[in-house]
Amino acid sequence: IDNFSSNPASLEHYPMTVRFLISLLIALLCFTSSKADKVSLLPSPETSSVFMSSFATAALLYPLDLLRSLSMTSPGTPVPKLVGDFYKDFGAKGFVSQGLAPEVSRATVMRGVKFALYPRFHRRLFSGRDPHEGTTATKIAAAAATSVPEVLLIMPLEVSKILLTTDKTNKYGNSMIKALSRTSPKKYMTGYLGVQYRQMSWGCGYFSTIGPYRKLVDKVVGGDETSNAALKSLLSGFAAGVTGAVLNTPGDTVRSVVMKRNLVEGVPASFFPVAREIVREKGAGSLYAGFGAKAAHLGGGGALMALFTPMARGWCERRMAGPSV
C-alpha cells in the first residue's frame, strides 16, 4: 500500500468513479489477505502475476470477444450477417479497435480481481485452507463471493463497451472516457443482475472443475507433473473455461439484450421479462446465441490464465528476489 500511495498526486487526474474503484480494490485485497501478506500486498508475485496474465489474455482474445458480443446482442441473427453489418459500419479496423480500450480494461480487471481474490476469499472463509485443499462446495462458495466485488468494479466498463461497440455514428470517438462522461452515473449499473449471473456462474464452473480436469488430462497425456506442463495447463484450463461458458451463456445473452435496449435503444428492459420474451419468440435455444464464439473465448481465457499465471509468477518472484550473490 505504501508503494502504491507514495505519489497520491498521480491519482488526481482520474475521475472520482475510477478513484473509488481503485480504493475498493485495495480494500478488498487487504480484507482478504493474511497479516503476513499486507506488508507487500500490491507488488506481491501472486497479485502481480495475475494482473499481468489478465492483461495479456484480454489483449489476445479481443477479436473473439467482439464476435461473442455481436452474437449475443442480436440473438437469432446469423453470425455472417452480424459480421457483415459490423464491417459496413466500422470497416476492417473496427475488428481490432472498436471498443478495444474498455474491453481490455474490463477483461483485465475482471480476470485480475477474480483470480487474485478467489484464493484469498477461500482462505478467509474456510480457516486458511488454500483452494487445492478445499472441496467442490468450498470452491463454489469462494468463487460466488469473489464475483460480487468483481462485478461492482467492472460495471462502468461493461456499459462503455456496449456503447462503443454499437456507436455507428462515432459520437463517442471510440473513447471510453467520452462514453462514460456522457452517460448518467445512474446507468452505470444497467444490467447488473445479468452481469452478476454471468460472472458468478463462470467462476463457480471454472474453479470447481479445473482440478478434476487437470487430473484427467494428466492421465490422458501421461508423464509426471513437470512433463508437458504447458499443454496440460492449456487443456485443463480450456475445459474448465468451456464448462463455465455452458453455465453462464443463457444469462449473458439476456444481459446483452437488456443493456443494448436500455443504453442504446432507450427502451426500458429488465432481466426476467426479456428472458421470457426471447424464449417465447425465438425458442429456448436462442439463449445460447453465439455459444461457439463464447466457448472459444472463455475456454481460451481459462486456458491462457492457467498457462500464463504460473509463468508470470515465476518471473515476478525472480525479479523481486533481486540478483543472486
Coordinates of all heavy atoms in Angstrom, one line a residue, residues 47-124:
T47 N -0.2 -11.4 -6.8 CA -1.1 -10.3 -7.4 C -0.6 -9.8 -8.7 O -1.3 -9.7 -9.7 CB -1.3 -9.2 -6.4 OG1 -1.8 -9.6 -5.2 CG2 -2.2 -8.1 -6.9
S48 N 0.7 -9.6 -8.8 CA 1.3 -9.0 -10.0 C 1.2 -10.0 -11.2 O 0.8 -9.6 -12.3 CB 2.8 -8.7 -9.8 OG 3.0 -7.8 -8.7
S49 N 1.4 -11.3 -10.9 CA 1.4 -12.3 -12.0 C -0.1 -12.4 -12.5 O -0.3 -12.6 -13.7 CB 1.9 -13.6 -11.5 OG 1.1 -14.1 -10.4
V50 N -1.0 -12.3 -11.6 CA -2.4 -12.5 -12.1 C -2.8 -11.3 -13.0 O -3.5 -11.5 -14.0 CB -3.4 -12.5 -10.8 CG1 -4.8 -12.2 -11.2 CG2 -3.3 -13.9 -10.2
F51 N -2.5 -10.1 -12.6 CA -2.9 -9.0 -13.4 C -2.1 -8.9 -14.8 O -2.6 -8.5 -15.8 CB -2.8 -7.7 -12.7 CG -4.0 -7.4 -11.8 CD1 -4.0 -7.8 -10.5 CD2 -5.1 -6.7 -12.3 CE1 -5.1 -7.6 -9.7 CE2 -6.2 -6.5 -11.5 CZ -6.2 -7.0 -10.2
M52 N -0.8 -9.3 -14.7 CA -0.1 -9.4 -16.0 C -0.7 -10.4 -16.9 O -0.9 -10.2 -18.1 CB 1.4 -9.8 -15.7 CG 2.2 -8.7 -15.0 SD 3.8 -9.3 -14.4 CE 4.5 -9.9 -15.9
S53 N -1.1 -11.6 -16.4 CA -1.7 -12.6 -17.2 C -3.0 -12.2 -17.7 O -3.4 -12.5 -18.8 CB -1.8 -13.9 -16.4 OG -0.6 -14.3 -15.9
S54 N -3.8 -11.5 -16.9 CA -5.1 -11.0 -17.3 C -5.0 -10.0 -18.4 O -5.8 -10.1 -19.4 CB -5.8 -10.3 -16.1 OG -6.0 -11.2 -15.0
F55 N -4.0 -9.1 -18.4 CA -3.9 -8.2 -19.5 C -3.5 -8.9 -20.8 O -4.1 -8.6 -21.9 CB -2.8 -7.1 -19.1 CG -2.5 -6.2 -20.2 CD1 -3.4 -5.1 -20.5 CD2 -1.4 -6.3 -21.1 CE1 -3.2 -4.2 -21.5 CE2 -1.2 -5.4 -22.1 CZ -2.0 -4.4 -22.4
A56 N -2.6 -9.8 -20.7 CA -2.1 -10.5 -21.9 C -3.3 -11.3 -22.5 O -3.5 -11.3 -23.7 CB -1.0 -11.4 -21.6
T57 N -4.1 -12.0 -21.7 CA -5.2 -12.8 -22.1 C -6.3 -11.9 -22.8 O -6.8 -12.2 -23.8 CB -5.8 -13.5 -20.9 OG1 -4.8 -14.4 -20.4 CG2 -7.0 -14.4 -21.4
A58 N -6.6 -10.8 -22.1 CA -7.6 -9.9 -22.7 C -7.2 -9.3 -24.0 O -8.0 -9.3 -25.0 CB -7.8 -8.7 -21.7
A59 N -5.9 -8.9 -24.2 CA -5.5 -8.4 -25.5 C -5.5 -9.4 -26.6 O -6.0 -9.2 -27.7 CB -4.1 -7.8 -25.4
L60 N -5.1 -10.7 -26.3 CA -5.1 -11.7 -27.3 C -6.5 -12.2 -27.7 O -6.7 -12.5 -28.9 CB -4.3 -12.9 -26.7 CG -2.8 -12.8 -26.6 CD1 -2.2 -13.9 -25.9 CD2 -2.2 -12.6 -28.0
L61 N -7.4 -12.1 -26.8 CA -8.8 -12.6 -27.1 C -9.8 -11.6 -27.5 O -11.0 -11.9 -27.7 CB -9.3 -13.4 -25.9 CG -8.5 -14.6 -25.5 CD1 -9.2 -15.3 -24.2 CD2 -8.5 -15.6 -26.6
Y62 N -9.4 -10.3 -27.7 CA -10.3 -9.3 -28.1 C -11.2 -9.6 -29.3 O -12.4 -9.4 -29.2 CB -9.6 -7.9 -28.2 CG -10.6 -6.9 -28.8 CD1 -11.6 -6.3 -27.9 CD2 -10.5 -6.5 -30.1 CE1 -12.5 -5.4 -28.5 CE2 -11.4 -5.6 -30.6 CZ -12.4 -5.0 -29.8 OH -13.3 -4.1 -30.3
P63 N -10.6 -10.0 -30.4 CA -11.5 -10.3 -31.6 C -12.6 -11.3 -31.3 O -13.7 -11.2 -31.8 CB -10.5 -10.8 -32.6 CG -9.2 -10.2 -32.3 CD -9.2 -10.2 -30.7
L64 N -12.2 -12.4 -30.5 CA -13.2 -13.4 -30.2 C -14.3 -12.8 -29.3 O -15.5 -13.1 -29.5 CB -12.6 -14.5 -29.5 CG -12.0 -15.7 -30.3 CD1 -11.3 -16.7 -29.4 CD2 -13.1 -16.3 -31.2
D65 N -13.9 -11.9 -28.4 CA -14.9 -11.3 -27.5 C -15.9 -10.4 -28.3 O -17.1 -10.3 -28.0 CB -14.3 -10.5 -26.4 CG -15.3 -9.9 -25.4 OD1 -15.8 -10.7 -24.6 OD2 -15.6 -8.7 -25.5
L66 N -15.3 -9.7 -29.3 CA -16.2 -8.8 -30.1 C -17.2 -9.7 -30.9 O -18.4 -9.3 -30.9 CB -15.3 -8.1 -31.1 CG -16.1 -7.2 -32.1 CD1 -16.8 -6.1 -31.4 CD2 -15.1 -6.6 -33.1
L67 N -16.8 -10.8 -31.4 CA -17.7 -11.7 -32.1 C -18.8 -12.2 -31.2 O -20.0 -12.3 -31.5 CB -16.9 -12.8 -32.8 CG -17.8 -13.8 -33.6 CD1 -18.5 -13.1 -34.8 CD2 -16.8 -14.9 -34.2
R68 N -18.4 -12.6 -30.0 CA -19.3 -13.0 -29.0 C -20.3 -12.0 -28.7 O -21.5 -12.2 -28.6 CB -18.5 -13.4 -27.7 CG -19.4 -13.8 -26.6 CD -18.6 -13.9 -25.3 NE -18.2 -12.5 -24.9 CZ -18.9 -11.7 -24.2 NH1 -20.2 -11.9 -23.9 NH2 -18.4 -10.5 -23.9
S69 N -19.8 -10.7 -28.5 CA -20.7 -9.6 -28.1 C -21.7 -9.4 -29.2 O -22.9 -9.1 -28.9 CB -19.9 -8.4 -27.8 OG -20.7 -7.3 -27.4
L70 N -21.3 -9.4 -30.4 CA -22.2 -9.1 -31.6 C -23.3 -10.2 -31.6 O -24.5 -9.9 -31.8 CB -21.5 -9.1 -32.9 CG -20.5 -7.9 -33.1 CD1 -19.7 -8.1 -34.4 CD2 -21.2 -6.6 -33.1
S71 N -22.9 -11.4 -31.4 CA -23.9 -12.5 -31.5 C -24.9 -12.5 -30.4 O -26.1 -12.7 -30.6 CB -23.1 -13.9 -31.4 OG -22.3 -14.0 -32.5
M72 N -24.5 -12.0 -29.2 CA -25.4 -12.1 -28.0 C -26.3 -10.9 -28.0 O -27.4 -11.0 -27.4 CB -24.6 -12.2 -26.8 CG -23.7 -13.5 -26.8 SD -22.8 -13.8 -25.2 CE -24.2 -14.4 -24.2
T73 N -25.9 -9.8 -28.5 CA -26.8 -8.6 -28.5 C -27.9 -8.7 -29.5 O -28.9 -8.0 -29.5 CB -26.0 -7.3 -28.8 OG1 -25.3 -7.4 -30.0 CG2 -25.1 -6.9 -27.6
S74 N -27.8 -9.7 -30.5 CA -28.8 -9.9 -31.5 C -29.1 -11.4 -31.6 O -28.7 -12.0 -32.7 CB -28.4 -9.3 -32.9 OG -28.1 -7.9 -32.8
P75 N -29.6 -12.0 -30.6 CA -29.8 -13.5 -30.7 C -30.7 -13.9 -31.8 O -31.8 -13.2 -32.1 CB -30.5 -13.8 -29.3 CG -31.1 -12.5 -28.8 CD -30.1 -11.4 -29.4
G76 N -30.3 -14.9 -32.5 CA -31.1 -15.4 -33.6 C -30.7 -14.9 -35.0 O -31.0 -15.4 -36.0
T77 N -29.8 -13.8 -35.0 CA -29.3 -13.3 -36.2 C -28.1 -14.0 -36.7 O -27.2 -14.3 -35.9 CB -28.9 -11.8 -36.1 OG1 -30.1 -11.0 -35.6 CG2 -28.5 -11.2 -37.4
P78 N -28.0 -14.5 -37.9 CA -26.9 -15.3 -38.4 C -25.5 -14.5 -38.2 O -25.5 -13.3 -38.4 CB -27.1 -15.5 -39.9 CG -28.6 -15.4 -40.0 CD -29.0 -14.3 -39.0
V79 N -24.5 -15.2 -37.8 CA -23.2 -14.6 -37.5 C -22.7 -13.9 -38.7 O -22.1 -12.8 -38.6 CB -22.2 -15.6 -36.9 CG1 -20.8 -15.0 -36.8 CG2 -22.7 -16.1 -35.6
P80 N -22.7 -14.5 -39.9 CA -22.2 -13.8 -41.1 C -22.8 -12.4 -41.3 O -22.1 -11.5 -41.7 CB -22.5 -14.8 -42.2 CG -22.5 -16.1 -41.6 CD -23.1 -15.9 -40.2
K81 N -24.1 -12.3 -41.1 CA -24.8 -11.0 -41.3 C -24.3 -10.0 -40.2 O -24.1 -8.9 -40.6 CB -26.3 -11.2 -41.1 CG -27.1 -9.9 -41.4 CD -28.6 -10.1 -41.3 CE -29.3 -8.9 -41.7 NZ -28.9 -7.6 -41.1
L82 N -24.1 -10.5 -39.0 CA -23.6 -9.6 -38.0 C -22.3 -9.1 -38.3 O -22.0 -7.9 -38.1 CB -23.6 -10.3 -36.6 CG -25.0 -10.7 -36.0 CD1 -24.8 -11.6 -34.8 CD2 -25.7 -9.4 -35.6
V83 N -21.4 -10.0 -38.7 CA -20.0 -9.6 -39.1 C -20.1 -8.6 -40.3 O -19.3 -7.6 -40.3 CB -19.2 -10.8 -39.4 CG1 -17.8 -10.4 -40.0 CG2 -19.0 -11.7 -38.2
G84 N -20.9 -8.9 -41.3 CA -21.0 -8.0 -42.4 C -21.5 -6.6 -42.1 O -21.0 -5.6 -42.6
D85 N -22.5 -6.6 -41.2 CA -23.0 -5.3 -40.8 C -22.0 -4.5 -40.0 O -21.9 -3.3 -40.2 CB -24.3 -5.5 -39.9 CG -25.5 -6.0 -40.7 OD1 -25.4 -5.9 -42.0 OD2 -26.4 -6.5 -40.1
F86 N -21.2 -5.2 -39.1 CA -20.2 -4.5 -38.4 C -19.1 -4.0 -39.3 O -18.6 -2.9 -39.1 CB -19.6 -5.5 -37.3 CG -18.6 -4.9 -36.4 CD1 -19.1 -4.2 -35.2 CD2 -17.3 -4.9 -36.6 CE1 -18.2 -3.6 -34.4 CE2 -16.4 -4.3 -35.8 CZ -16.8 -3.7 -34.6
Y87 N -18.7 -4.8 -40.3 CA -17.7 -4.3 -41.2 C -18.2 -3.1 -42.0 O -17.4 -2.2 -42.3 CB -17.4 -5.5 -42.2 CG -16.4 -5.1 -43.3 CD1 -15.0 -5.1 -43.0 CD2 -16.8 -4.8 -44.5 CE1 -14.1 -4.7 -43.9 CE2 -15.9 -4.4 -45.5 CZ -14.5 -4.4 -45.2 OH -13.6 -4.0 -46.2
K88 N -19.5 -3.1 -42.4 CA -20.0 -2.0 -43.1 C -20.0 -0.7 -42.3 O -19.8 0.4 -42.8 CB -21.5 -2.3 -43.5 CG -22.1 -1.3 -44.5 CD -23.6 -1.7 -44.7 CE -23.7 -3.1 -45.3 NZ -25.1 -3.5 -45.5
D89 N -20.3 -0.9 -41.0 CA -20.3 0.3 -40.1 C -18.9 0.8 -39.7 O -18.7 2.0 -39.5 CB -21.1 0.0 -38.8 CG -22.6 -0.2 -39.1 OD1 -23.1 0.4 -40.1 OD2 -23.2 -1.0 -38.4
F90 N -18.0 -0.1 -39.4 CA -16.7 0.3 -38.8 C -15.5 -0.1 -39.6 O -14.4 0.3 -39.3 CB -16.6 -0.4 -37.4 CG -17.7 0.0 -36.5 CD1 -18.6 -1.0 -36.1 CD2 -17.8 1.3 -35.9 CE1 -19.7 -0.6 -35.2 CE2 -18.8 1.6 -35.1 CZ -19.7 0.6 -34.7
G91 N -15.7 -0.9 -40.7 CA -14.6 -1.3 -41.5 C -13.7 -2.4 -40.9 O -14.0 -2.8 -39.7
A92 N -12.7 -2.8 -41.6 CA -11.8 -3.9 -41.0 C -11.1 -3.4 -39.8 O -10.9 -4.3 -38.9 CB -10.8 -4.3 -42.1
K93 N -10.8 -2.2 -39.6 CA -10.1 -1.7 -38.5 C -10.9 -1.9 -37.2 O -10.4 -2.1 -36.1 CB -9.8 -0.2 -38.6 CG -9.1 0.5 -37.5 CD -8.9 2.0 -37.7 CE -8.2 2.6 -36.5 NZ -8.1 4.1 -36.7
G94 N -12.3 -1.9 -37.3 CA -13.1 -2.0 -36.2 C -13.0 -3.3 -35.4 O -13.2 -3.4 -34.2
F95 N -12.6 -4.4 -36.2 CA -12.4 -5.7 -35.6 C -11.3 -5.7 -34.6 O -11.2 -6.6 -33.7 CB -12.2 -6.8 -36.6 CG -13.5 -7.0 -37.4 CD1 -13.7 -6.5 -38.7 CD2 -14.5 -7.8 -36.9 CE1 -14.8 -6.7 -39.4 CE2 -15.7 -8.0 -37.6 CZ -15.8 -7.5 -38.9
V96 N -10.3 -4.8 -34.7 CA -9.2 -4.8 -33.7 C -9.1 -3.5 -32.9 O -8.1 -3.2 -32.2 CB -7.9 -5.1 -34.4 CG1 -7.8 -6.5 -35.0 CG2 -7.7 -4.0 -35.6
S97 N -10.2 -2.6 -33.1 CA -10.1 -1.3 -32.4 C -11.4 -0.9 -31.7 O -11.3 -0.3 -30.6 CB -9.6 -0.3 -33.3 OG -10.6 -0.1 -34.4
Q98 N -12.5 -1.2 -32.3 CA -13.8 -0.6 -31.8 C -14.1 -1.2 -30.4 O -14.3 -2.4 -30.3 CB -14.9 -0.9 -32.8 CG -16.1 -0.1 -32.5 CD -15.9 1.4 -32.8 OE1 -15.0 1.8 -33.5 NE2 -16.7 2.3 -32.2
G99 N -14.0 -0.3 -29.4 CA -14.3 -0.8 -28.0 C -13.1 -1.5 -27.4 O -13.3 -2.2 -26.4
L100 N -11.9 -1.4 -28.1 CA -10.8 -2.2 -27.6 C -10.4 -1.8 -26.2 O -10.1 -2.6 -25.3 CB -9.6 -2.0 -28.5 CG -8.3 -2.6 -28.1 CD1 -8.4 -4.2 -28.1 CD2 -7.2 -2.2 -29.1
A101 N -10.3 -0.5 -25.9 CA -9.9 0.0 -24.6 C -10.8 -0.5 -23.5 O -10.3 -1.0 -22.5 CB -9.7 1.5 -24.6
P102 N -12.1 -0.3 -23.6 CA -12.9 -0.7 -22.5 C -12.9 -2.2 -22.3 O -13.0 -2.8 -21.2 CB -14.3 -0.2 -22.8 CG -14.3 0.1 -24.3 CD -12.9 0.5 -24.6
E103 N -12.8 -3.0 -23.5 CA -12.8 -4.4 -23.4 C -11.5 -5.0 -22.7 O -11.6 -5.8 -21.8 CB -13.0 -5.1 -24.7 CG -12.7 -6.6 -24.8 CD -13.5 -7.4 -23.7 OE1 -14.6 -6.9 -23.3 OE2 -13.1 -8.5 -23.3
V104 N -10.4 -4.5 -23.1 CA -9.2 -4.9 -22.5 C -9.1 -4.5 -21.0 O -8.7 -5.2 -20.1 CB -7.9 -4.4 -23.3 CG1 -6.6 -4.7 -22.5 CG2 -7.9 -5.0 -24.6
S105 N -9.6 -3.2 -20.7 CA -9.6 -2.8 -19.4 C -10.6 -3.6 -18.5 O -10.3 -4.1 -17.4 CB -10.1 -1.3 -19.3 OG -9.2 -0.5 -20.0
R106 N -11.8 -3.9 -19.1 CA -12.8 -4.7 -18.4 C -12.3 -6.1 -18.1 O -12.4 -6.6 -17.0 CB -14.1 -4.7 -19.2 CG -15.2 -5.5 -18.6 CD -16.3 -5.9 -19.6 NE -15.8 -6.9 -20.6 CZ -15.8 -8.2 -20.4 NH1 -16.3 -8.7 -19.3 NH2 -15.3 -9.0 -21.3
A107 N -11.8 -6.7 -19.2 CA -11.3 -8.1 -19.0 C -10.1 -8.2 -18.1 O -10.0 -9.2 -17.4 CB -11.0 -8.7 -20.4
T108 N -9.2 -7.2 -18.1 CA -8.1 -7.2 -17.2 C -8.5 -7.1 -15.8 O -8.1 -7.9 -14.9 CB -7.1 -6.1 -17.6 OG1 -6.6 -6.3 -18.9 CG2 -5.9 -6.1 -16.6
V109 N -9.4 -6.2 -15.5 CA -9.9 -6.0 -14.1 C -10.7 -7.2 -13.7 O -10.5 -7.8 -12.6 CB -10.7 -4.7 -14.0 CG1 -11.4 -4.7 -12.7 CG2 -9.9 -3.5 -14.3
M110 N -11.6 -7.7 -14.6 CA -12.4 -8.8 -14.3 C -11.6 -10.1 -14.0 O -11.8 -10.6 -12.9 CB -13.3 -9.1 -15.6 CG -14.2 -10.4 -15.4 SD -15.0 -10.8 -17.0 CE -13.6 -11.5 -17.9
R111 N -10.7 -10.5 -14.8 CA -9.9 -11.7 -14.5 C -8.9 -11.4 -13.4 O -8.7 -12.3 -12.6 CB -9.2 -12.1 -15.8 CG -10.1 -12.7 -16.9 CD -9.2 -13.4 -18.0 NE -10.1 -13.8 -19.1 CZ -10.4 -13.2 -20.2 NH1 -9.9 -11.9 -20.3 NH2 -11.2 -13.7 -21.1
G112 N -8.4 -10.2 -13.4 CA -7.4 -9.9 -12.3 C -8.0 -10.0 -10.9 O -7.5 -10.6 -10.0
V113 N -9.2 -9.4 -10.8 CA -9.9 -9.4 -9.5 C -10.3 -10.8 -9.2 O -10.1 -11.3 -8.1 CB -11.1 -8.5 -9.5 CG1 -11.9 -8.7 -8.2 CG2 -10.6 -7.0 -9.6
K114 N -10.9 -11.5 -10.2 CA -11.4 -12.9 -10.0 C -10.2 -13.8 -9.5 O -10.4 -14.5 -8.5 CB -12.0 -13.4 -11.2 CG -12.6 -14.8 -11.1 CD -12.9 -15.4 -12.5 CE -13.8 -14.6 -13.3 NZ -15.2 -14.5 -12.9
F115 N -9.2 -13.8 -10.2 CA -8.1 -14.8 -9.9 C -7.2 -14.4 -8.8 O -6.6 -15.2 -8.1 CB -7.2 -15.0 -11.2 CG -7.8 -15.9 -12.2 CD1 -8.8 -15.5 -13.1 CD2 -7.5 -17.2 -12.3 CE1 -9.4 -16.3 -14.0 CE2 -8.0 -18.1 -13.2 CZ -9.0 -17.6 -14.1
A116 N -7.2 -13.1 -8.5 CA -6.4 -12.6 -7.3 C -7.2 -12.8 -6.0 O -6.7 -13.2 -5.0 CB -6.0 -11.1 -7.4
L117 N -8.5 -12.5 -6.0 CA -9.3 -12.6 -4.8 C -9.8 -14.0 -4.5 O -10.0 -14.3 -3.3 CB -10.5 -11.7 -4.9 CG -10.3 -10.2 -4.9 CD1 -11.6 -9.4 -4.8 CD2 -9.4 -9.8 -3.7
Y118 N -10.0 -14.8 -5.5 CA -10.6 -16.2 -5.3 C -9.8 -17.0 -4.2 O -10.4 -17.4 -3.3 CB -10.7 -16.9 -6.6 CG -10.9 -18.4 -6.4 CD1 -12.1 -18.9 -5.9 CD2 -9.9 -19.4 -6.6 CE1 -12.3 -20.3 -5.7 CE2 -10.1 -20.7 -6.4 CZ -11.3 -21.1 -5.9 OH -11.5 -22.5 -5.7
P119 N -8.5 -17.1 -4.3 CA -7.8 -17.9 -3.3 C -7.8 -17.2 -2.0 O -7.8 -17.9 -0.9 CB -6.3 -18.0 -3.8 CG -6.2 -16.9 -4.8 CD -7.6 -16.7 -5.4
R120 N -7.8 -15.9 -2.0 CA -7.9 -15.1 -0.7 C -9.2 -15.3 0.0 O -9.3 -15.5 1.2 CB -7.6 -13.6 -1.0 CG -6.2 -13.3 -1.3 CD -6.0 -11.8 -1.5 NE -4.6 -11.5 -1.5 CZ -3.8 -11.3 -2.6 NH1 -4.4 -11.6 -3.8 NH2 -2.6 -11.0 -2.5
F121 N -10.3 -15.2 -0.8 CA -11.6 -15.5 -0.2 C -11.7 -16.9 0.3 O -12.3 -17.1 1.4 CB -12.7 -15.2 -1.3 CG -13.3 -13.9 -1.2 CD1 -12.9 -12.9 -2.1 CD2 -14.3 -13.5 -0.3 CE1 -13.5 -11.6 -2.1 CE2 -14.8 -12.3 -0.2 CZ -14.4 -11.3 -1.1
H122 N -11.2 -17.8 -0.4 CA -11.2 -19.2 0.0 C -10.5 -19.4 1.4 O -11.0 -20.0 2.3 CB -10.6 -20.2 -1.0 CG -10.9 -21.6 -0.8 ND1 -10.3 -22.4 0.2 CD2 -11.9 -22.4 -1.4 CE1 -10.8 -23.6 0.1 NE2 -11.8 -23.7 -0.8
R123 N -9.3 -18.8 1.5 CA -8.6 -18.9 2.8 C -9.3 -18.1 3.9 O -9.4 -18.6 5.0 CB -7.2 -18.3 2.6 CG -6.3 -19.2 1.7 CD -4.8 -18.7 1.8 NE -4.6 -17.4 1.2 CZ -4.2 -17.3 -0.1 NH1 -3.9 -18.4 -0.8 NH2 -4.0 -16.1 -0.6
R124 N -9.9 -17.0 3.5 CA -10.6 -16.2 4.5 C -11.9 -16.9 5.0 O -12.2 -16.9 6.2 CB -11.0 -14.9 3.9 CG -11.5 -13.8 4.9 CD -10.4 -13.2 5.6 NE -10.8 -12.1 6.4 CZ -10.0 -11.3 7.1 NH1 -8.7 -11.6 7.1 NH2 -10.5 -10.3 7.8

